[in-house]
Amino acid sequence: MVFWEGYVSDELMGTIAPIVVYWLYAGLYQLLPPLDRFRLHSRKELNAKNSVTLPTVVKGVLSQQLLQATLAYIVDMASIISGYGKDGSIIERRRALPIQALQFLVAMLVMDSWQYFLHRYMHENKFLYRHIHSWHHRLVVTCAIGALYNHPLEGLLLDTFGGGIAFLVSGMTARTAVFFFCFATMKTIDDHSGLWLPGNVFHLFFRNNAAYHDIHHQLKGLKYNYSQPFFSVWDRLLGTYMPYDLVPRREGGLEARPSKD
């Protein structure tokens, strides 16, 4: 039993919940105190290096989410119709927790694989990088609210299609998918937060984290650390992994620097 049962279908909740989680979680980061001693870049760098303003980022994310939600709604309606039984009630399948955990892991690996190869190709293809992926790299200094600031086509290919493939391959139910996509959304936001907060649960369990992705957004790391949002497996296997050290900055805070090892 979940709180939305009887009010909203699992399919529709799978569309709505990640968007709500995005703005709540990213908004929480945005409302935090300055926390300069935990920042990977100074706020001065944020204003100097980024070529896009915060209002533009917000508009870009909202327009992308509107497009994705519209497409997801169309697919969801088709799924609901196909899931009706002879008595007109929606067929609901429940899975044991170990099976759901396995499906989570499979979905994470599938999503990582899809995003690694497509993300890498968008960097290696000059046309795609210049006209599509460069939108995301207008944020040299990342921020939580800009985690999904992409060209609409990239958002569709990387996130929507990638999430759909992970859902289908893992075999998870629509209800399990609600939790998976909310989790993936929070992880992506955290990776773009630009903060190295003590006790961060994501940093405890994932080596692909805010510092790891910060390296990728720097000029010297642009061809490295493509993996997102969970593991670093493909980077390590295919030679695109760039190790880093967290070094205190003289003016306060931390800096992720490519390791000399």
Side-chain angles (χ1 to χ4, degrees):
M1 175 73 71
V2 289
F3 70 88
W4 67 81
E5 189 169 2
Y7 299 97
V8 179
S9 70
D10 293 339
E11 289 82 3
L12 185 57
M13 182 58 71
T15 300
I16 297 172
I19 296 175
V20 173
V21 166
Y22 184 90
W23 292 106
L24 288 177
Y25 194 52
L28 177 64
Y29 267 114
Q30 201 69 24
L31 293 173
L32 285 174
L35 299 176
D36 289 339
R37 60 191 175 126
F38 301 120
R39 291 192 175 278
L40 299 176
H41 293 271
S42 67
R43 284 177 290 169
K44 183 178 179 180
E45 285 182 292
L46 181 69
N47 296 324
K49 292 186 175 182
N50 290 347
S51 60
V52 62
T53 64
L54 186 60
T56 301
V57 169
V58 171
K59 291 176 184 176
V61 174
L62 284 172
S63 62
Q64 178 179 304
Q65 288 176 329
L66 177 61
L67 173 62
Q68 292 174 329
T70 301
L71 292 173
Y73 180 76
I74 294 171
V75 173
D76 291 344
M77 290 303 100
S79 175
I80 290 173
I81 292 171
S82 65
Y84 272 89
K86 293 180 180 179
D87 61 352
S89 62
I90 297 176
I91 299 171
E92 182 180 325
R93 296 175 295 167
R94 299 181 186 276
R95 303 274 170 80
L97 284 177
I99 294 178
Q100 291 184 58
L102 178 60
Q103 290 171 333
F104 247 70
L105 179 59
V106 170
M108 290 164 73
L109 292 171
V110 170
M111 182 176 283
D112 264 22
S113 299
W114 176 267
Q115 296 210 0
Y116 174 85
F117 289 103
L118 187 56
H119 183 196
R120 181 173 176 174
Y121 184 64
M122 284 187 173
H123 273 271
E124 295 178 346
N125 184 295
K126 292 182 179 179
F127 178 85
L128 291 178
Y129 183 80
R130 181 180 302 166
H131 296 285
I132 296 177
H133 189 57
S134 63
W135 278 41
H136 185 65
H137 282 274
R138 291 172 182 172
L139 294 171
V140 177
V141 178
T142 59
C143 62
I145 216 157
L148 292 183
Y149 177 68
N150 300 309
H151 186 285
L153 181 58
E154 178 177 349
L156 186 65
L157 293 175
L158 205 67
D159 299 321
T160 307
F161 284 8
I165 291 170
F167 169 71
L168 292 173
V169 173
S170 67
M172 63 175 58
T173 63
R175 180 163 299 182
T176 302
V178 174
F179 296 99
F180 174 73
F181 289 127
C182 286
F183 174 68
T185 296
M186 292 178 69
K187 178 66 172 61
T188 300
I189 291 168
D190 198 84
D191 291 347
H192 289 81
S193 67
L195 290 169
W196 192 263
L197 296 174
N200 187 314
V201 176
F202 288 120
H203 293 175
L204 293 176
F205 289 97
F206 296 97
R207 306 194 81 174
N208 187 336
N209 48 44
Y212 187 94
H213 196 62
D214 181 72
I215 288 290
H216 175 71
H217 273 259
Q218 297 178 31
L219 182 61
K220 51 199 166 188
L222 209 59
K223 300 291 186 180
Y224 298 90
N225 294 7
Y226 295 116
S227 292
Q228 56 183 29
F230 301 111
F231 309 113
S232 58
V233 176
W234 287 114
D235 276 321
R236 293 175 186 274
L237 287 176
L238 299 178
T240 53
Y241 171 71
M242 179 177 280
Y244 62 88
D245 297 311
L246 280 173
V247 182
R249 289 199 311 268
R250 180 178 301 176
E251 67 273 23
L254 301 166
E255 179 183 352
R257 293 182 185 172
S259 176
K260 296 180 181 180
D261 297 334

